[in-house]
Amino acid sequence: MTPRFIVLEGLDGSGKSTQSRKLAKKLSDLKIPNFHTCQPSQGSVGKQARAVTRGKFFLEDETLALLFAADRYQHYHEEIAPRLDRGDYVICDRYYYSNIAYQGKNPAAMERVIAYNQAVMTAPIRRPDIIFFLDIPPSECMCRITSRRSKVSIYETLTRLEQMRERYFAAFERLKAIDNVVIIDAVGKSSNQVFAKIWSCLKIDE
């Protein structure tokens, strides 16, 4: 079985975490070895990045962009690569496109964040085989976020979500020759309908 490196991307509240869990469960139900993970990671570097996003302390955007890239490098070598090497499917909730969209505040900043990630994505590090982006209007994402919890991250405002959606699409255009990005229109669709689309794209035998 060919190992597959699958990434789910999207704005906060888009449903990507739900879909990544559904995918991991489906593979497990089919007795297909898989590893479900996320970024920022649960490792020591990732925990620092999470603390910043939760407003526990402040870092400049440039510093935070480098911290996310460092976490990605460490996470890949500690957790992702060993699973891919043994033939498992790896499902990752967020990867470098989040880094680009969240810290690439203008064209120059976006190019720097892309460069940081390209620096840590050199061989033998493997790029994702497929990247799913769940496209939901930022206003709907905010409704979902505020209905579930009272505290939000530093990125969870309508203005910021609108900006980040624009940056995601700018990054997809910028890197379209490198990555296999599939945009899933999730507007008005149930969780099961979105998952059916993701599953059909993977072409995994049942």
Side-chain angles (χ1 to χ4, degrees):
M1 185 182 297
T2 303
R4 298 292 302 273
F5 186 5
I6 303 161
V7 167
L8 283 94
E9 287 277 9
L11 300 177
D12 293 339
S14 64
K16 59 183 176 42
S17 298
T18 297
Q19 294 301 324
S20 64
R21 288 192 296 268
K22 286 172 76 75
L23 180 54
K25 184 179 184 304
K26 177 74 170 181
L27 292 171
S28 295
D29 289 346
L30 294 172
K31 310 299 183 188
I32 297 175
N34 67 90
F35 174 59
H36 179 211
T37 189
C38 62
Q39 290 190 354
S41 75
Q42 298 298 328
S44 57
V45 183
K47 287 177 180 177
Q48 291 294 311
R50 287 180 184 277
V52 177
T53 65
R54 292 168 182 164
K56 293 186 177 180
F57 64 94
F58 173 78
L59 289 179
E60 295 290 344
D61 280 334
E62 207 78 7
T63 308
L64 187 55
L66 288 163
L67 185 64
F68 279 126
D71 177 47
R72 186 158 302 110
Y73 183 86
Q74 191 71 17
H75 185 213
Y76 181 87
H77 284 286
E78 285 188 349
E79 299 187 45
I80 295 173
R83 299 286 183 148
L84 291 172
D85 289 345
R86 75 185 196 188
D88 292 359
Y89 279 66
V90 172
I91 305 146
C92 193
D93 182 345
R94 295 198 181 283
Y95 209 53
Y96 49 78
Y97 277 103
S98 287
N99 199 175
I100 297 168
Y102 281 62
Q103 279 74 52
K105 288 189 170 182
N106 54 57
M110 179 173 287
E111 288 302 319
R112 287 196 301 274
V113 179
I114 289 172
Y116 300 156
N117 282 276
Q118 287 179 333
V120 300
M121 291 298 296
T122 55
I125 292 179
R126 175 174 170 176
R127 302 183 82 90
D129 296 313
I130 190 166
I131 299 164
F132 292 105
F133 178 78
L134 305 189
D135 194 20
I136 295 280
S139 57
E140 176 63 23
C141 290
M142 277 305 303
C143 287
R144 293 182 181 185
I145 291 166
T146 55
S147 69
R148 294 171 188 166
R149 47 193 164 86
S150 57
K151 292 185 178 181
V152 297
S153 82
I154 61 174
Y155 299 109
E156 292 172 338
T157 68
L158 180 57
T159 298
R160 287 199 169 192
L161 291 177
E162 289 172 340
Q163 292 169 342
M164 287 182 288
R165 183 179 181 275
E166 292 178 1
R167 293 177 203 151
Y168 263 115
F169 279 88
F172 295 151
E173 179 65 22
R174 169 70 172 75
L175 299 173
K176 64 183 179 181
I178 298 174
D179 288 323
N180 178 24
V181 176
V182 176
I183 297 171
I184 305 287
D185 180 2
V187 179
K189 296 180 176 62
S190 69
S191 175
N192 287 339
Q193 289 173 321
V194 172
F195 181 74
K197 178 62 177 176
I198 291 171
W199 186 254
S200 68
C201 291
L202 294 174
K203 298 180 171 60
I204 298 172
D205 293 333
E206 297 191 46

